[in-house]
Structures are given as structure tokens and as C-alpha cells.
Amino acid sequence: MEALVASAIGILTAVGIYLTLRLRTFPVILGLTFLSYAVNLFLFASGRLAVNSAPILGRSETYSDPLPQALVLTAIVISFGMTAVMMMMAIGGHLQAGHDRIDLDARDETAGRGEGPEAGA
Amino acid sequence: MTPAFIVALPFLGAILPALAIRFGRNACALATGAVSLLALILLIQAAPAVLRGEVVQARIDWLPALGLNATFFLDGLGLLFAGLILGIGLLIILYARFYLAKSDPMGQFFTYLLLFQGAMLGIVLSDNILLLLVFWELTSLSSFLLIGYWKHLPEGRQGARMALAVTGGGGLAMIAGMLILGNIAGSYDLTVILTQKEAIQASDWYLPALILILLGAFTKSAQFPFHFWLPHAMAAPTPVSAYLHSATMVKAGIFLMARMWPVLAGTPEWFWIVSTAGLVTMVMAAKIAFFKDDLKALLAFSTVSHLGLITMLLGFGTKAAATVAVFHIINHATFKAALFMTAGIVDHEAHTRDLRRLGGLRTLMPVTFGIALLASLSMAGIPPLNGFLSKELMLEEAAHTVWLTPWAMGLLATIGAGFSVAYSFRFLAHGFLGPVRDDYPHRPHDPGPGLWAAPALLAALVVAIGLAPMLTAAWLVDVAAGAVTGAPVAVKISHWHGLYAPALWMSLAAVGGGLALLGAYPRLRALWDGVPRPEAKPMFDAVVAGLARLARGGAEGLHDGGFGRAVVLAVLAIAAAGLWAFLGGTHAAGTRVGLPTDAVVVAVWAVMLVAALAVPILHRNRVVALILTGVTGLLIAPLFMLFSAPDLALTQLSVEVVTILLMLLALHFLPKETPVESPAWRRLRDAGVAVIAGLGVGGLAWAMLTREAAFAPISAFHLAQSKPGAGGTNAVNTIIVDFRGYDTFGEIIVLGIAALVIFALAEALLRSPAVTSRLAAWPRARESGDRHPMMLVVATRLLLPMAMMVGVYIYLRGHNLPGGGFVAGLVFAIAYLMQYMASGYDWTHARQRFDHHVLIGWGVLVSILAGVGAWAFGLPFLTSGFEYVNLWPLEEFELATAAIFDLGVFLCVLGAVLLALASLSRLALRTGEQINRRAYDTEETP
Amino acid sequence: MSHWIIAPIVLPALVAAIMVTAFRGQLAAQRLLSLAAILGLNGIAWALLAAATQGPEAYFLGDWPAPFGIVLVLDRLSALMVVLLAGLALPVVLYAIGSGWDAKGAHFHPLLQFLLMGIGGAFLTGDAFNLFVFFEVLLIASYGLMIHGGGGARTRAGVQYIAFNLIGSSLFLLALALIYAVTGTLNMADLAVKLPTLPEGDAALLRTAAVLLILVFAIKGALVPLQFWLPGTYANAPGVVAAMFAVMTKIGAYATLRAGTLIFPADLPATGPLLSTLLQPAALVTLALGAAGVLGARTLPRLVAFGAIASMGTAFLAISAFTPQATTAALYYILHSTLATALMFLVADLVTRRRAHAGLDAPAPVAGSGPLAALFLVGAVAMVGMPPLSGFLGKLLVLDALRGQAGLVWSVVLVSSFVMILGFSRAGSLVFWKGGPSPSPAPHEPLALAAAFALLAGLVGLTVFAGPVTDWLAATAETLYAPQGYIAANRLEGGA
Amino acid sequence: MRRLFPHPYLTLTLIVLWFLLVNQWKIGSLVMAVILGTVIPLITSTWWPDRPRIQRPFALAAYAVLVLWDVIVANFQVARIVLFMPRDRIRSAWITVPLELTQPEAISLLAGTITMTPGTLTADMSACGRALLVHALHAPDPDAVRDDIKARYEARLQRIFA
Amino acid sequence: MILPHALTFFLAAIAVSLVLNLWRLATAPTLTDRIVTLDTMAVNAIALVVAYGIWAGTGLYLEVAVLFALTGFVGTVAYCKYLLRGSIIE
Amino acid sequence: MTPLLDTALDLFLSAILIGGGIFALVGSYGLLRLPRPMQRLHAPTKATTIGVGAALLVSALDLLGQGQISWQELLITLFLLLTAPVSALFLAKTLILRGEADPGMPDSGTGQPWATLAEERADP
Ligand code: NA
Ligand code: NA
């Protein structure tokens, strides 16, 4: 079972990174979502795997490690907030620039570039 | 403390001109002059002690940890230089008062000048080489400001930058040199270092230190090959040229060599480097000066040449030569400052400094001519003026110095002197002699005494020292040279050394040669103009421009806003570093017994991964990509459940749904397709990087999962204390709201902030006219005719209260069973979202009785209050209490303060999600939607 | 036990929540609250500094013993960083009010307060996972502040900023998971106690965790090759926000220092000199790259941003030596560079707003440039490390502390300084040395100028009192390399 | 009373629901159920402005049993069609069901019933809300299906909702 | 007792159903078909969770099923609403 | 509980489960087999619901057999009954709008078009 989880983490990571390398904000956001899936599973796995042992006292003989679960909860919530903000920013960028490319270019500088006569010296 | 006061005065006084300028230009100059005068008086008061051979010291601890202290001392050398700085400074202030135009901001000028003066005094009075560095760079800076004083002139801008680059850069090299020196000597105090000659010269680090320090000195004193900046600094107003670039700042390098002479001089390295640089500089600059048409350029190169002369003398390493060097420093300061001021007067009156447009000024400006005559004859080394005295001594020293061959040094020195004569006479001949012209840009005549008083005084000194050197200068030379050589000096200066002195013949040759050169000027000039020469300025400019281009290409090119490259580099770097770290340590194979494979898990695993792997292939259709992502995310929930984490399953599910809703809302405002933009090689590269990352993370997961922890996990405590300590049987929940409630506190604040950010951004977007017009013209596909189908509305009327019920249930039982405030908040939020979807934003929102912001605010406040409440019992933040309550007719139940905290979580989550989605909906409202007045679209029949 | 330790976290959170709840849309009230809170924070920070000078102190959240609950640990280092934070926040909020930046969008003051809360929490926590949480708090607040006021370029730069940091957060979680998986604990003092007895077979995983963790901090600290986020972010953020961000990179430096001295000291068998080996070359390249960027920059904000990168290179160079002397230098340099960077961002903002153009060679002169030019000059002097200001002293301290590697290190530092002098002098002369009338009248904003001068005063203070400051910092550095006091304050139970 | 209990049936449903959730029959649960059953409808009534007019609440229960039975029976029919009927012999059909019902709750219930009973599903409603568009998976005689729906379900609902 | 075997059969049937769904998800000709599949998957997942709860002999997982029921519905409606109107909340 | 009753319950529950499993399979198979989109819509909304229903019933009865009473299954059933028709309606509307539904849609007979295909109407 460990191999299943490890491979799932690896594949989710790879999918996440690949999408993060696309040139538009939406796939990047999806990629980061995949990355957070992978990382949450990884964090969860730091408590090792167990079946039939939810850490609810009195409901089973053994208990899985509750701490990583609590940490993953926090991580899930945080990455949700982050995704939401990034999504909104992506919308903002698209509404303002008219496209949703993730790369910035010189026109995106707050002010012009200028290659005046003294640009070098 | 006198030396410290002398240094401090100009700095403290630098504010005065800026204040005094309100009361007029005279007041401004007077205030400046008063500062310098006061410092000069202090110096004169201390002078008798120095002349007696004492050293006046002052010490203030500044940065003892580094050995950098505000330590000052005043010895003979310091006295000489401080005297020059303050004395000539006073004259310059007088001169500048009349030189500057009404439109020039005089307050600023004198402020800079005083800053410069203070820095210069700091250099010559520092008893700590790090402190000396501080002042050293300050002179670079203040001269930068003074050169660029006339802001409208591009030459000033460029000259200032070049000066700063060269002298500031040299100063940086000197930092390294000084640090090495201090490390060898074990102290940065000069008084200590000067006693360590043997140790320093025996050190392996002597040569690096020497070279680095000389780099500083040579750049500052414009020695070859760093001479090129000085002529361009002449864009500064003439008082600046006279003060900085002839009398004082350029002498800082000379001063430093003199200061370090006792410990650095006397080695072959010193001799070869210093004397060669000086010699080359002297000859080459003299030759260039001869061909310059601009009065100030001519004087500038002549300054370079004379500085070379002094450097050469110091390089000889003999006490006699050093003494001559000290003497020439005095002489050069007097005649060169006078000459610069004269050039300034000519410029001021004739509106040109070009020798080709001048001539005949002798009759138009007799006073100015008189001053120029005396000063330039001194510069040419014509007896009996002071320039003659030191040049004669110099030639004598050169004649006795072996450099490559016994005669080479003498010959070259004579050639240099010859050019010196030539350009001095050219200055006079082409500027002042000859017929009066009628095409001056401005008809010149002698200025008022305000302008000529200062150079006249200097000219008087030229004569006085020339006529009676033993009376006027010898005592100063003695004490200063004594300080340089470390031995008592009693100099004998005379005009006549006898017929057998080589200097006599060399002098004669130089004068004769110089006159011959002047006579041959037209032909030589043609030759000079015809031969291409490497020009320093274009070369420097090219180097700097190339550097800047390189820098721009490198830094800006690398940071051109490309995101993919950044991520690829980051991922590869992280992977490489991680692998490198892993391989550097031992990894014992895991011995943990694995779980048997379960078919259900395999099924979930397979479905999840196929959905995930389909995304990179199908991601161009964004809805499809979103659906597949949602499937992956939703299937993680059962995976969590199967691995005994019901709380995680609940959270993952509810978060995933809200995320999908959010992304769908967002997709409305984004393109629906992702175009094919990356070429195949790039997709392949990205896939490669992704696989590397996946292998890395997956491998780590495998390594981790197959091993036990090295130590017992702290969570054993949480399990054990969950019920007795925190009053709940759900250990995950007790960790969240109690053991690590502080994490949760941070987490809900993250969520709250996220909503505030989203709201603020939506506000900003809605205020942008470009955005609102783009929204108003939002392309809409063919759409269904009903926005709010009746069936959904009716179903929601039941589902909303039911979901709320479930939410309350999940909240209440969370402490003991899976659930809690967070999931409850999300369930509530989903229920509300359903209501929003069913009847629309406006209709629903108009009937809502609470504000989202207030909900978030109260969420945070409640959780803070739950935490702070513990203070009342003297317990730390977030300490919880719980009590089992018996309240008839109810059965016993538990009241826990953690529930209050969890309520804060609930409120914050609900508020945050609703605020985020409401913000998005407000954007949607601008896309030309109509606001509905009824819950659903279908016409109601009566 | 003093509840004051948690005040730097609770106070801003409380004030922010009150603003959101009761004073939404009431800018005047928000300004007053925000200013009052920051003044209070300054008072608290100095009191904490005084307390920390007596010795480390822990605060056990929820009254749970370490390592099971979360602890805050006040020691000289964390107190120092909180003082720096509070000290920077004051001029920043004054500038925001004085320049009207805070009125250009919603929620400036609550977000600023939340940012302070996050940064303060990150400095004070003694728990590795809690550090992550507070990193996220400060990051998300920084996202909001970064795009404050909106605008296409800013928002799009914000997308990259957040995306890059999300990768960083993922990395942080990976590192924490590994650490927990290997050691079963998250408390930093507990890790310090347990790791020396780690079985050899776990070394590889621990080393990987250590490196991943340090790389997370390197992202925050903008260390090459993880610096890509910085120029676009800082240059596009509102000037006042960029000024506040000057302290954000220092969080990376702080965390590296903490981890490298407490958790992974050089004498730990598993990791050894791992961190030094990793950090030093990166720091050198960072410094060089920052300097090159300063010379090549096209706009004033980008110039300052690259200057910030260079300063992080210098700071990390000193940190990477992991000796008390070098750490003293690093701390001094961090204090200095925070103020200097902030000052330069404010100056860049003042300039940009006076001629509506950030391009260096824009033809328009700057309205009312006198005091601005002076500010720019002094700030630039501080930033490139020219005398007499703290930048020079800091650089000297760093050079002196690294004399063991003089050849390479000194060359890079000094050549970088040279390149930066070229860059700053070029920029300053291009921007300020212009004739002609300004296209727009100079706005009258005494409070904003005063805020900039306050930062300048801070730099001067740091220069004048360099002696006592470095003495205090040296004592701080000593405690970092002898963390027994820190560990003892945690009163660990059931640990090793 | 009407102000306190805007939707009494909802209140009752919620009380039952609470017991389903907590899985225990205790006084405390009842207290909680009553509190929630009162408060939640008060909160949500703003989005449910008018109270449905139900005349025979008990007939509703009988109706539920009828539908449940139909669901089970029809499931087998659908399974047969899906599994065994050759694809080209499946006679799908559109059916228009004109409505006598007027209350939105009643119409929705009918539409839901149609969908939940296998073989038919409600696909749309006319813009005026007076006819349902039903899709039948296999209906050789669409009119019979329509009549069946009207007689078996709509008539009953008409009696329940006055 | 054949219940365990029946349960195994049931779980296997659900697992196979999920795989069939997956096949559909990948090969669906239209977007709407994918949403239909998604809806089906949610229902199958509920069945899986409930059955797993029976197998594990615990009622701890029922809330997961409750939430699945709620979320599957919201997801389906949202996707459809998106296709129908572009904006899911208007 | 008597052994006979026990066995009877066991057999009964097993039968339900096997039936439910088959129905679930049929639903998912139907998605693949049925040729037209509107037809495919029938499969999940019917057969799968029965599959879930079976599991829920067994879960409830099984826990009952163990002495626990679980009513939450009823809740889930209620939820599904409430939501499945709405999901189906929306899916059908989507097919209709996108032109993927069966051809030959009849008139509504009310003089008004079907809501999906109607013109958007402004509120009074
Ligand atoms: Na949490
Ligand atoms: Na607590």
C-alpha cells in the first residue's frame, strides 16, 4: 500500500509541476492545486499509513498518528485560501491586460523602459 | 580633542550655508568662511605643539568590535595638509562668492564644499585607517556632488560619474588593502601600524596590500593609468577645480603614500610601482597638457603631471626625495590654485576658456595677467619662484636615481620638465600675449577685487616662498617631512647648488627645450592632431557601457518576467540540492512492515491517477481540466477516509467543492481554452522537469513510509491527553482547537485575509474604467432562457435548512467525533452558495441579515477572546477549560472553551468563503446581467 | 510568565479585526487605530528586547508543555527582529498615511496589521510547523498589500509572486513532513536536543529535510537561483508596500540563522557543514547578480529591488559562515539593509509620483527635488555601503569576519560594491540632475517626507551607535552558538 | 405563531432530521432539536417567502410509499432495457405533461417524482411553468406515459396541495 | 455468513463501476457527458464509503457520505449552471 | 436474535447487496452502452441510486444487527432523493441548450417555449 501512496504523491507532483510550467494563469493554478494535493498527501504520510484506526478514542484498538492529520487540515485550509486569492488575481490580470499569460513583459513594468542616450554610462 | 573638533566643524557647519542663504549671498559665504576660519584658528592654536614635535591626539570609541574608532592625531604631515585645506579653502570661499552666478544655488554649493572640507580634514587627521577610509570615500562622494553641481550640463553628469567610479572604486580596493594591513599589524590605528614596518614588509600579504592601497592612492591622485577622470571633472565650477582638483583632493592619494611611507616604502616593489607610475604620469600628462586648448584642461593635465612628479619622488623611497615631495606639495598648491582661479576669471569675463579664441588679455586684464604670469612662471620652474626651487630639487633627486639605466630617470624627468615649461608658456603666450582680438565672446576686463584677491594672495605666496624659502616654508617642510620619514629633517633650500649640480643643466635644458617646443607648436600640433591616440574617455565609457549592457542582459534578461524559466531553475536547483544532501548521508533501508494492498484502495488510486494524468493531456479545454482536477481532489477524500483520517476526508470534500465553485465562477472571467503556445521541445523539457520533481518527491515519500521515526512521536501525548486534558475523544480535533489551537488561529486568519484580499481586488477592479467597460462588453455564449429554475429554488428551500442542521451537528460533535468548526463553516458556506446559485446574488444578498466582513471580523475576535480569556485565570493564550454540566432535565453535557474558539473558526470560515464568492459575483453583475426581483424565473400563476 | 510575548501577534490581529468589523470604510478611524497599534507595538517590542537581554523566555500556548504544544520563545534574536519590524512599521504607516497610498484601495490598514502579526509570529515561534503557518499569514497579507490599488502590471506581477510562493510553501511542507517523519517532533528546541542522537541510518533523510528547509528560507531571502520572484514583485508593488517588504526577505535570513544555529549546527553529525557549503556560493552569486541588476536596471524601483537582492547576498554571505563574529556582522547588516532598502523604496516612490514615470532616463525632471535628491544620495550611500553610513560599517564587519576566505569573498563583495556605485550614481544623476521645469507641481506631503527622514534617522542612529549596537549583537550571536538557554526555556518534557 | 414558525412542516422535518443525525433519543437532543428547528427556519424563511398550502399532510406519506415502490419496480425495467434491449430498439420519446398544479413546491415534487421513477425524467419546464417536458427512455406509447403521470401522481398531489 | 462475501462483491462492483466511469470520463464525446459521469461517480463514491463503513464495522464514515451527497449535487448543478449561463451565481 | 433470524437477515442483506452492486454496475455500464445522451441520463439517476440505497439499507440494518441504531443512512437517502432530480434537470437542460438532446422536442402546449430555449425575460 505504501508504494501506491508514494507513487500517487510522485505522479500528482509531476502533474502539478508540468501544469505550473504552462504559459497561462489557469493551468498554473490547476498545477499548484495538484502540487498541494501531493504535498498534503506527503504530509499525511509522515504519520505513516494505517487502516481502521481513526484517532477517535474508543472507536478502534489502534490509533493512527493524529498530529499529521491536524497539520494536513491546516495545510488544506491554507492552500484553499491561497488558491482563491491567486484565482482572483488571475481574473484581475486578465480583466486588466486582456490576456491571461503568466509571463510578464516589458510593457508590464509600472513605467516605461527607455533606452536613452546615457543608458549605458 | 582639537583634531576631532577640526574635523567635526565643517560637517556641523555644513548646515549653515543652507540656512544662511535666506539672508543673502554674502551671509552665506560669510557663514561658510566663518566655519573654515574657526577650524583654521583651532589648527593654528595646536600648531606650536606640533612644531615642537608633539602629536596631538583625540579618541572617541565608535565601533570597537571592528577596531574602527574615531581616533584623530595631528602631526607635521597632518598640519601641512590641514593648513592647505583650510587656508586654500578660505580663499576658495571668497573666490566662489563672486564667481557663482545669481542663478546658482549658493547654499547648496557651500554645503557641499564644507562637507568636502570636513572629509578632507578627516583623511589627513585620522589616526585609524578604517576611519581614514570613511573620509576617503566621503571625498569621492562630495566631489561627485560638486562636479555635478551644474545639473543642466551633461558633461558635469558624466564627469561626476566617472570621477566617482574611478576614485570610489579605488577606495574599495583600498578597503581590502587596509583590512589586510590592519590584520598584519593587529590594529587599525595608524600610530600602531607605523611602528610595524618589519612585520608588514615581511608578510606574505605585503604585496597584495601594497597594490590595493596604491590602487586607492593612484586613482585619487589621477596617476597613470587612472588619470583620465580628472580632466572631465573640470566640468565643475572653477572654484571646485581649484580646490578639489588641484590643491586638495587629488593630493589625498599623495598624502596617503606619504602617510604610509614609513611602513610601505623602501622595498623594491614600492620603488618600481610608485616611481614608475609617477614618472610615466609626469611625462605623459605634461605632453598632453601642452596640446590642450581649454585652459582648465591644460591645467588639469598639468596637475596630473605634477602629481606624478610628487608620486615619483615618494617612490624613490629616500628621505631626501620624500622631503622634496613635501616641499613640492606646498608649492604646487599655491601656484596651481592661483592658476585655476585665473582661468576661472578669464572664463567668467571672456565667456570662453579656449586658448584658440583668446590672446591679448595682457592689456585688457592687467591684474589677472600679473597673477597668471607669476603663477605660470613658477609652474614652469623659472627662478626665483617657488616652483623652481622644488623642481630643481626634484631633478637633482632624479639624476641620482637608477631606474632601468643610470641616466633614464634623469632624461625622462628633464623631458617632463621641458613639457612643463612649454605648456606654462603656452598658457601665457596664447592666453595673454599677442594682439588684442575683437572676437571674444564677451569683451573681457579685470574683475573686481572679490575675484582676484584670492589668486593674488596665492601669487604673493609664490613669490614669498620663492624669494625666502627658508623663512616661509622650510619650517613646515621640516616638520611635515619629519612626520613622513620618521626622522628629524632640517631642509636646506637654496637657489643655487653650484655648477656641478646636474639639476642646473637639466633645468636649463628643460627651459630651452620648452621654449623650442612652444616655438614649434603649430607643426607639433598638426602632428599631434594627425596621429590617432587612444582616448581614455571613450574607452572608459565603452567599458562601463559594456558592463551595463552585460548587467542589463544578465540581470534584466534573466528577470524579464518569464515565469516558466524561474520555476524550472528553481525545481532543478531544489532537486539537485536535495539529491546532493541525500547522497551525502547514510540511508538505512526501511524495515517498516507495509500494509497489505486493498482492492478498494487500488481502485480509488487508479481512478484518481488516471484523472490526474489526463489533465496534462486534456488541459486545453479548461472546463474539462477543472472537472478532472475536481475528480482527483474529490477522490483524495475517500483515500483519507480509507487511511483512517475521517476529519481529513470531510475537510477535503468540503474544501474541494468550494474550490470547484470558486474556479467555475472564475472561469467565467477567463478564456475558456488554453492555446497551444509552447513548442514541442519546451513541453518535453517541462515534462522532464516534472518527472524529476515527481521522482524526487515520490522517492522521498517511499523512503519515509517504509521507515519508523527515530524517536517516539510527540503525538502519543496528544492521544493520551485528548480526553483527560482537552476533554475530547477526537484527537485530531483536540489538536486543532487545543494542543495546537494557535496554528488554527493563524490558519483562520489566513482565510480571513484571503477574503479581504479578494474583496479589495474586486473593489480595485470595479473602480477601473477599463475593467468595467471590458466587463460590460463581456462576450456571452448562447444561454439558457431561465436563470433561476424553479426546481432548484424549491429544493434549496429544503436543502439550506437541512444543510445548516448538518453543519450545526458537525460543529457540535467535532470535539468527540469527526467534524468541527471548520467543516461546519464550510457546510454552511456551501448551503449559502446553493442559495446564491438558486436565486441569484442580488436577490439572495438583499435578504441576508449579516455582513460578510463583520462575520470574519467577529470570527477573529471570538477566537482572540477565547484565547485571551485564559489571561483572566493567569493562564497563557488559548488555554482551554472544560466542564461537564448537569442541567435538568438535560443529561450531562460538556461545555468547553475550545468550543468558543471553534465558533470563531466557524464564523471566520463562513465569512471568508461568502465574502470571496460575493466579490466574484459582484464582478459578474457588471457583465450586463439583470437583477432578478423574484426567487425564480417561472411565471407564477395566480 | 509574561503574556507580553504574544502581544506582537494578538495586538495587530485584534486591531485588524476591529477595523474590519467596526470601522470598515472609515479611513480616518483606521489610520488612527493603525498608528496607535504600531506605536504600541514599538513599545512592546522594546520592552521585549529589554526582557530578552536578561535571558530567553518561553510562552506555552494553551498551557501545554513543550514539545507537545506550541511555544513562543523570546530570545535576543527574536526580540531584535520584532524591534526591527516595529521600527520599520512606524515610518511605513506614516508614509502610507502621508502619501495617501492607504486610500487607494480597500483594507490597507487591516492587511498591514495582519502582515505585522504574521511576521511577528514568525520571529517569535519556537515551533517548526507554526513557523509555516505564520509564513502563510504574512505571505497572504503581503499578496493583498502587493496588489493594493490594483492596476494590470501590478496584479499580473502579483500572480507570479503568489505562484512562486505557493511552490515555496509546498516545499516547506515537504521539509516539515520529513522532519516529523524522521524525528516525531516539531518543537525546534526538542529537535536541537534529539538530533545529535539520531541513528546514522536516518542521516540521509534528515539532510534532505534540512536542505529543503533552508531552500524555503532561501526563497524568502531571494537567494539565487530562487530569487526570481523579487524584482517583479518589489518593483510593481506600491512603494510603501515595497518598503515594508524590506523586512520580509530578512525573515528568510532570520529563519536560516535560527535553523543553522539551533537545529542544524555545524557540529551535528548528520548534517555537518551542509548549510555553509550550500549557502556560501549561492550568497556570492546573489550578491553579484544583485549588483549587476543595479547597474542594468531600467527603472528606479527595479534598481532598488536589485539592491535588495544584493543586500541579501551580503547578509547570507555572513550568515553562511556560522561563526559568532560573522553572525554579529550579519545581524548588523540585516538591521541596516532593512532600513536602507525601505528608505530607497520610499524615495523611488516619491520620485515616481513626482514625475509620473519610473523610467530612469525619463526626460521629466523631478518636482521639488532638493530634499529628495538628498534622501536618494544618502540612501544610495547606505545601500551600496559607502562611508560613512551603516552600510559601510556593516560591509566592513562582514569583510572582517570573513577574512578567512578573503580572496574570493572580498573580491566579490568589493567588485559588487563598485558595480553598485556605478549603477546608483548613474541612476541618481539621470533622475535628479536635470534642468527645466517639472511637468507637475510637487505634492505637499510633509508626513511622507518625514517618514522617509525617520528611516534616514534610523540609519544615522545605527551608524553613530554602531559600537553599543554591535556589542549587543555580539552577545546575541554568542547565545545563538550556545543555545542551552534557549533549550532550557522550553522546559522540555519527555524528550531526550 | 406564524412569525415564530414561518414553516411549521420544515420545523418538524428539522426536528426529525436532528434525531436522525444524533442517533439518540434523549431529552437534551429534543431540546436542541426544537431550538434548531425554530431558529434555522427563522433564518432561512427570508428566502422562502410564502408558505406552501398543504391540506392533507398524511396523504403525503402515502404518496411517498407509492413512489418508493414505483422506484423499485421501475428500476428492474430500466436495468432490463440497459442490459438486454438492442440499442436500435430502444424507443425514447419526449412527452409534454401539461400541469394543473400551481404551487411551486407541488410542481417540483411532481417533477422530482417523474425523475426518480426510472424510465422517465423531467428535462425542462415551459417558461410559464404550466407544462413539464419529460423524456422517457423507452416509451412506445408516449401518451400513455403522460396519462399515467397525470393520473398516478399529479392527481394525488393536487389533493395534497390545495 | 455470506454477508462478507456479498460485501466484497458489492465493493468490487462499485470499484468496477468507478473504473467504468473513469473510462467514460476519458472517452466521453461531450462535456455534458463528463458531468453526467461525474454525477455518477459521486453516487458511486457514496456507495463505496458506506460499504467500506460496513466492512470496517464503524459508523464514523457516514458523515463523509453525507457530505459527498451534498457536494456531488452542488458540483453537478454548478457545472451545468456554468454551461447554461456562464456565470454560476448571477 | 435467533440463529434462524440471523441467517435470514444475513441472506436478506446479502441479496440486497448483490442486487445493489449489480444495479450500480448497470448504471455505470449504461453510461457506456446507451447510444444517445438523453438516454444516458437515465442510467445514473436510476440504477446508481438503487445501488446506494442498497448499501445504505444494509448499513442501517447491519448496524441494527450489531445492536446499534443508525439513522444517518436515512438522511443520506433523503438528500439523494431531494437532489438527484435537480441534477438530472440541469443535465437535461444543458443537453437541450447545447443541442445534444434528442431531436423532435414537442411543443409545451402553453403557448410559451421551454424555459431553456426561451428568450431571457426581464423581471417586471
Ligand atoms: Na485546522
Ligand atoms: Na487550548
Side-chain angles (χ1 to χ4, degrees), chain B residues 554-647:
Chain B
E556 289 283 5
L558 208 56
H559 297 81
D560 61 353
F563 180 67
R565 176 177 46 224
V567 173
V568 165
L569 283 176
V571 168
L572 291 180
I574 292 165
L579 186 67
W580 166 73
F582 187 88
L583 294 178
T586 317
H587 180 70
T591 55
R592 194 171 192 277
V593 181
L595 285 177
T597 305
D598 182 324
V600 177
V601 177
V602 175
V604 175
W605 172 86
V607 176
M608 185 179 89
L609 288 188
V610 172
L613 284 169
V615 178
I617 300 161
L618 301 175
H619 76 95
R620 306 213 176 279
N621 184 330
R622 292 182 174 183
V623 189
V624 172
L626 186 56
I627 290 175
L628 290 169
T629 309
V631 170
T632 313
L634 287 172
L635 283 173
I636 290 178
L639 216 55
F640 280 140
M641 192 203 75
L642 296 169
F643 290 121
S644 315
D647 273 290

Side-chain angles (χ1 to χ4, degrees), chain B residues 737-739 741 877-881 897-898, chain C residues 62 64:
Chain B
V737 300
D738 202 330
F739 296 110
F877 190 70
L878 283 175
T879 307
S880 69
T897 57
Chain C
W64 295 108

Side-chain angles (χ1 to χ4, degrees), chain C residues 74-352:
Chain C
L74 176 75
D75 71 342
R76 297 174 73 114
L77 180 59
S78 51
L80 175 73
M81 299 309 285
V82 173
V83 165
L84 177 65
L85 172 69
L88 179 64
L90 191 58
V92 162
V93 78
L94 285 177
Y95 186 90
I97 296 170
S99 62
W101 260 117
D102 60 349
K104 289 191 180 169
H107 291 323
F108 181 88
H109 289 288
L111 289 174
L112 178 65
Q113 294 293 331
F114 279 130
L115 183 76
L116 296 179
M117 173 208 167
I119 301 177
F123 286 146
L124 283 167
T125 191
D127 185 279
F129 190 82
N130 190 247
L131 183 65
F132 163 79
V133 172
F134 277 82
F135 262 39
E136 300 302 304
V137 172
L138 70 91
L139 278 174
I140 197 152
S142 78
Y143 304 150
L145 289 170
M146 197 245 137
I147 54 162
H148 179 75
R154 185 171 294 153
T155 314
R156 279 162 43 67
V159 174
Q160 282 205 7
Y161 174 50
I162 187 168
F164 210 78
N165 271 300
L166 282 177
I167 295 174
S169 300
S170 300
L171 192 64
F172 203 162
L173 286 175
L174 288 183
L176 289 172
L178 277 176
I179 287 174
Y180 181 76
V182 171
T183 66
T185 189
L186 295 168
N187 177 291
M188 299 190 324
D190 197 29
L191 283 167
V193 170
K194 282 176 174 162
L195 285 180
T197 62
L198 190 79
E200 210 194 330
D202 284 307
L205 276 182
L206 184 77
R207 289 167 59 90
T208 312
V211 161
L212 296 187
L213 193 65
I214 292 302
L215 289 177
V216 173
F217 303 149
I219 293 179
K220 299 286 171 288
L223 213 56
V224 171
L226 304 169
Q227 83 300 350
F228 287 98
W229 62 273
L230 194 143
T233 304
Y234 280 36
N236 282 300
V240 64
V241 172
M244 191 68 226
F245 281 9
V247 77
M248 296 233 305
T249 43
K250 308 314 185 282
I251 299 162
Y254 161 82
T256 304
L257 202 49
R258 182 67 86 199
T261 55
L262 179 66
I263 307 177
F264 309 112
D267 57 359
L268 187 71
T271 51
L274 189 63
L275 304 191
S276 292
T277 320
L278 187 74
L279 288 174
Q280 204 190 55
L284 285 171
V285 181
T286 306
L287 175 55
L289 179 86
V294 166
L295 183 59
R298 288 190 220 102
T299 67
L300 212 43
R302 274 185 88 84
L303 176 104
V304 185
F306 279 109
I309 290 184
S311 77
M312 288 317 292
T314 311
F316 268 102
L317 197 55
I319 289 173
S320 68
F322 288 112
T323 64
Q325 196 200 348
T327 300
T328 309
L331 291 177
Y332 185 84
Y333 193 80
I334 285 171
L335 293 180
H336 147 80
S337 74
T338 307
L339 300 184
T341 309
L343 171 61
M344 286 311 283
F345 274 121
L346 292 191
V347 173
D349 187 57
L350 286 166
V351 169
T352 310

